[in-house]
């Protein structure tokens, strides 16, 4: 059964009945700028030894963590950042963003602006296809939240390649009745963001700021947007580790914060409950992705739940233990990362609490990502010092590269479009700086990518891999990712080759950016 657009719109209204939650008084709250309270593991009934065992396992299994924070009874008992990452810096959340988008929907429902039973088509009368299928007509906000839209294929890539993401999403074929089949769907979360903006007149970032971020004392967060100024919703949020922890603690406390109900408890319960089963066999697949799905929250093994993002951005809520665990990282094996949590940290609540606070505190304070090492030096160093290499035409628009060496640093200067991009690289150490290099930083999804290069915080380190190869690591420490730039010198020629950490994870590593050749001027 299909409907013509005009006929259909006569029979649908925004006021379709569904879940409606009490209003919240979050907007009247004074800002809370203080950090979460700090304690020690043993003081909160946690064995430091178990946390040390977790850190050992992370290192032994070559997992790359960027931050770790553990809370119990509302207090931070362990926290650490792997240098050059730090507590003051935001970190790309990828799909961990989805849980924040869900929260925006919950708050808008609490204010009476929509319900989960509202039909999606009712919000976008100007973007509907000429013929509206029965499945599209039946699609509810709830189906977006539970990723049970009914798409035949995951629609995010065609959506983000278009100018009007809403119109492209609504034009996709729905092969299944909405609400019946789970399919991971980041574009569905974008539609939740678009709906909140439609009914509130604000992006979800602006909408959440006085209702969520300010009451929790979170600032500095950023969110990417589509070409029409709608926050991407399903990805694109950047926030600090402690902000993630506060968010998890808010959910653990059923929406209460400093005595105020800033998020309805009924929404917390509804959003984190089992709504739909993912396809697959937990015995043979990734069990923590097969425990059921809520409203942009994953159910976990052992009865817990989480928000998560690609490469290991986790906010894990453990109601049974009154605890929250937060991690940021770059890991392909996210199930393996969670397995270490279950194996080592769950036991922390049951082990005898012999104090090892001092040992743990020292360990957490010294966490670091060691810069790549190489040979002591190269005869090419003196020959290329201060020299400029004219580069052949290339997709990034680089026109020249130069290298200058000073004691324990190398200054790389790349020119593009008449601008100089200077990056100081520590030799055997990280040097922190800022640059807007074309085609950086690496990213998993193109949607929301800034049109022009923007400044990125970069920790840079250089080393000689052999006498003719200078390897430069550019770690974009507000994202999970880094680049390795290999500069191969042969006579008066240089070849620059990028390999992102994303590309390096592939079975046959190959970066989409082509190598660039240059000649010494």
């Amino acid at each position: 059964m299909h409907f013509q657009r005009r006929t259909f719109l006569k029979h649908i209204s925004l006021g379709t009945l569904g879940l409606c939650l009490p209003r919240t008084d979050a907007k009247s709250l004074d800002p809370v700028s203080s950090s979460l309270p700090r304690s020690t593991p043993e003081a909160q009934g946690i064995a430091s030894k178990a946390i040390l065992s977790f850190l050992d396992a992370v290192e032994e299994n070559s997992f790359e963590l960027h931050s770790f924070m553990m809370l119990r009874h509302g207090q931070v008992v362990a926290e650490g950042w792997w240098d050059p990452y730090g507590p003051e810096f935001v970190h790309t959340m990828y799909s961990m963003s989805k849980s924040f988008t869900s929260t925006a929907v919950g708050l808008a429902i609490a204010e009476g602006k929509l319900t989960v039973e509202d039909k999606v088509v009712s919000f976008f009368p100007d973007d509907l296809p000429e013929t509206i299928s029965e499945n599209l007509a039946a699609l509810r906000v709830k189906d977006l939240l539970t990723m049970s839209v009914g798409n035949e294929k995951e629609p995010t890539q065609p959506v983000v390649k278009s100018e009007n993401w809403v119109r492209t999403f609504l034009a996709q074929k729905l092969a299944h009745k909405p609400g019946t089949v789970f399919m991971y769907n980041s574009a569905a979360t974008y539609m939740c963001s678009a709906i909140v903006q439609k009914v509130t007149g604000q992006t979800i970032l602006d909408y959440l700021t006085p209702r969520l971020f300010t009451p929790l004392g979170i600032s500095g967060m950023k969110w990417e947007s589509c070409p029409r100024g709608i926050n991407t919703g399903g990805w694109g949020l950047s926030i600090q580790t402690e902000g993630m922890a506060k968010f998890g603690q808010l959910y653990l406390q059923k929406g209460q914060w400093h005595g105020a109900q800033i998020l309805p408890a009924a929404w917390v319960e509804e959003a984190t409950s089992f709504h739909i089963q993912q396809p697959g066999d937990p015995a043979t697949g990734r069990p923590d992705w097969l425990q059921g799905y809520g409203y942009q929250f994953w159910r976990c093994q052992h009865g817990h739940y989480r928000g998560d993002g690609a490469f290991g951005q986790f906010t894990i809520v453990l109601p049974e233990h009154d605890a929250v665990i937060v991690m940021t990282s770059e890991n392909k094996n996210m199930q393996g990362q969670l397995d270490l949590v279950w194996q080592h940290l769950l036991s922390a609540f049951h082990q005898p609490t012999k104090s090892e606070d001092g040992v743990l505190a020292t360990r957490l304070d010294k966490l670091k990502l060691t810069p790549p090492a190489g040979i002591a030096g190269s005869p090419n160093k003196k020959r290329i010092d201060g020299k400029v290499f004219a580069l052949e035409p290339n997709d990034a628009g680089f026109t020249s590269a130069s290298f200058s060496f000073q004691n324990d640093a190398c200054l790389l200067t790349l020119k593009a479009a008449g601008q100089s991009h200077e990056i100081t690289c520590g030799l055997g150490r990280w040097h922190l700086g800022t640059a807007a290099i074309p085609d950086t930083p690496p990213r998993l999804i193109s949607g929301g990518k800034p049109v022009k290069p923007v400044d990125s915080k970069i920790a840079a380190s250089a080393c000689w891999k052999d006498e003719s190869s200078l390897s430069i690591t550019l770690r974009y420490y507000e994202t999970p990712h880094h680049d390795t730039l290999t500069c191969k010198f042969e006579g008066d020629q240089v070849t620059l080759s990028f390999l992102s950490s994303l590309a390096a994870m592939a079975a046959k590593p190959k970066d989409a950016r082509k190598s660039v050749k240059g000649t010494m001027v």
Side-chain angles (χ1 to χ4, degrees), residues 346-409:
L346 283 190
S347 64
F349 304 107
H350 307 295
Q351 293 182 5
T353 55
K354 178 183 177 181
S355 180
E356 295 187 55
D357 289 346
V359 177
L360 177 61
T362 300
R363 177 75 174 276
L364 290 168
D365 189 53
K366 293 183 177 180
L367 297 171
K368 64 178 179 179
L369 299 176
T370 304
I375 63 175
S378 166
N380 276 307
K381 177 180 175 180
K382 184 176 181 180
R383 188 175 66 84
I384 66 171
D385 187 18
K387 298 298 191 295
V388 176
F389 292 81
L391 302 177
E392 295 177 354
N394 56 85
D395 293 340
F398 296 129
T399 55
S400 71
S402 64
F403 307 83
S404 298
F405 294 89
Q406 301 173 347
N407 298 324
D408 64 345

Side-chain angles (χ1 to χ4, degrees), residues 102-290:
S102 169
T103 302
V105 174
L107 288 168
I109 288 174
E111 294 177 358
K113 297 185 182 298
L114 74 153
T115 78
V116 295
E117 297 296 331
D118 286 341
K119 300 300 190 293
V120 173
V121 292
S122 69
F123 299 99
F124 307 106
D126 297 329
D127 291 309
L128 298 177
E130 188 58 38
T131 300
I132 301 167
S133 70
E134 186 174 0
N135 284 340
L136 180 58
L139 182 64
R140 304 165 298 173
V141 172
K142 183 175 183 176
D143 304 321
L144 299 176
L145 290 166
T146 58
M147 295 200 180
S148 57
V149 174
N151 288 102
E152 185 175 38
K153 297 180 180 179
E154 208 285 328
T156 302
Q157 287 305 318
V159 166
V160 301
K161 290 177 181 177
S162 68
E163 191 277 333
N164 187 331
W165 292 10
V166 168
R167 181 171 295 175
T168 303
F169 179 90
L170 295 172
Q172 302 302 302
K173 180 180 179 180
L174 301 187
H176 308 284
K177 179 182 177 182
T180 63
V181 177
F182 177 90
M183 176 189 282
Y184 197 75
N185 192 331
S186 292
T189 318
Y190 164 78
M191 292 296 290
C192 291
S193 174
I195 288 170
V196 172
Q197 184 160 332
K198 193 80 168 182
V199 300
T200 67
Q202 295 179 290
T203 65
I204 52 175
L205 179 59
D206 289 340
Y207 180 71
L208 285 174
T209 294
R211 295 165 174 83
L212 177 74
F213 294 126
T214 298
L216 268 58
I218 301 171
S219 61
M221 54 283 170
K222 301 177 288 186
W223 210 318
E224 295 174 346
S225 298
C226 78
R228 297 199 163 203
I230 301 167
N231 290 148
T232 48
W235 65 96
L237 175 65
S238 294
I239 195 171
Q240 299 92 343
T241 301
E242 188 160 343
M244 298 167 68
K246 289 177 177 179
F247 180 71
Q249 187 65 31
L250 174 70
Y251 269 80
L252 181 62
Q253 295 171 178
K254 302 294 185 183
Q256 288 196 356
W257 197 259
H258 292 294
Q261 192 73 41
I262 69 170
L263 180 65
W267 176 260
V268 173
E269 181 67 26
E270 182 77 2
T272 61
S273 295
F274 179 105
H275 283 281
I276 192 167
Q277 179 63 54
Q278 306 95 326
D281 181 0
T284 58
R286 297 190 301 167
D288 280 297
W289 277 260
L290 298 170

